[in-house]
Amino acid sequence: MLLLLYHEGPSTRGIFRRSANAKTCKELKEKLNSGDDVQVDGESVFVAAAVITDFLRNIPDSVLSSDMHGLWMEAVDTENRAHKIEAIKSLVNQLPEANLILLRHLFGVLHHIEQNSGVNQMNAFNLALCIAPNMLWLPSPTGPEEESRSTKKVILGLASPLHSLSLLLVGTALCSLKARQGLAICSTEPPPTNLLIQSHLWLGSVYRLC
C-alpha cells in the first residue's frame, strides 16, 4: 500500500484528506488482519491512505509512544532550533526498532508526496493535519479541551521545518519499499526542510503494509 501511495499519491489531489469508501476500507482491513496475501493493484489510492491512517491510529501506545508524550511536547516547545532538533533526535532514538522501520517507510512516502504539493495540495502542514493526530496521543483519557490542545500542538510540531530530523528518518535515499519486486524507490536528493518530523507494532505488520 505504501508503494501504491508512493506512485499515485504525488499526483492525487487531497491525498490523505479526501474520504474513501468505508465498505472497501473495511474489507481490505479484514483481509490484512487475516494474514492473507493482499493484492492492492488497482485499489483506490484513497482506500490505501485511509487504511494506513487507521493502522497508525490503532497502534497500541501510538507509533511515537504515548509514554513519551510529555517529552515530545517539551521538545516541540523548545525555542532554540538546534536544541529542538537534538531533543527530537534523542526521542526518535528511544523508539522501538519496529516503530522506526515504519516511520522511515512512511516518511519516505510523505516526502515524495510533499515534493509535489503544487499538484496534490498537500504541503507539510496539510499532511500533518491528517497524519499527526494518529501518531501521538495522551497516555490516559482526558477532557475534550485538553485533547484538542494536545492535538493542535502535535500538528504544529510535526509540520515544523526541522531538516535534520527529516534526514535522520528518511536518509539520503528513499529505497526498498518493495525491493523484492525489483522496484527500487530511490531519490538521491536530500529530504525537504519542510517535512513532517515526529511520527508498538510487530515487524510482520509493518512489512505487510509495505
Side-chain angles (χ1 to χ4, degrees), residues 2-194:
L2 289 175
L3 187 67
L4 175 63
L5 278 167
Y6 183 92
H7 285 306
E8 298 188 18
S11 60
T12 303
R13 185 175 179 178
I15 186 65
F16 285 107
R17 187 173 58 198
R18 289 172 56 185
S19 350
N21 183 283
K23 181 181 178 182
T24 305
C25 289
K26 181 181 178 181
E27 291 173 350
L28 182 56
K29 284 186 289 184
E30 288 174 350
K31 290 178 183 177
L32 287 168
N33 290 334
S34 71
D36 295 337
D37 288 335
V38 178
Q39 299 297 323
V40 295
D41 293 344
E43 191 62 79
S44 164
V45 68
F46 294 111
V47 169
V51 170
I52 287 173
T53 301
D54 181 76
F55 177 80
L56 289 171
R57 185 164 52 244
N58 285 285
I59 293 172
D61 191 39
S62 82
V63 69
L64 293 178
S65 182
S66 293
D67 290 340
M68 295 163 59
H69 184 277
L71 297 174
W72 284 112
M73 295 300 98
E74 289 178 13
V76 169
D77 280 339
T78 303
E79 294 185 4
N80 182 281
R81 184 175 181 273
H83 293 167
K84 180 183 287 189
I85 292 171
E86 290 305 313
I88 296 179
K89 278 185 179 180
S90 175
L91 293 176
V92 166
N93 289 332
Q94 296 176 50
L95 294 172
E97 182 182 3
N99 297 47
L100 286 174
I101 291 171
L102 174 59
L103 287 171
R104 288 189 181 107
H105 283 84
L106 178 64
F107 274 53
V109 172
L110 296 176
H111 161 79
H112 193 52
I113 291 172
E114 195 263 353
Q115 280 187 310
N116 206 34
S117 60
V119 172
N120 57 52
Q121 299 187 347
M122 296 301 290
N123 57 24
F125 180 81
N126 289 336
L127 286 169
L129 200 63
C130 298
I131 301 294
N134 306 298
M135 299 181 74
L136 181 67
W137 48 81
L138 290 161
S140 56
T142 59
E145 291 186 5
E146 179 62 26
E147 288 183 3
S148 178
R149 284 195 296 269
S150 173
T151 299
K152 182 177 179 181
K153 201 173 197 179
V154 171
I155 290 170
L156 293 175
L158 292 181
S160 301
L162 301 184
H163 174 82
S164 294
L165 187 56
S166 297
L167 187 63
L168 174 67
L169 288 175
V170 181
T172 57
L174 306 175
C175 301
S176 77
L177 278 179
K178 204 70 172 177
R180 64 178 178 272
Q181 288 187 358
L183 296 173
I185 294 176
C186 301
S187 174
T188 54
E189 75 266 13
T193 59
N194 212 12

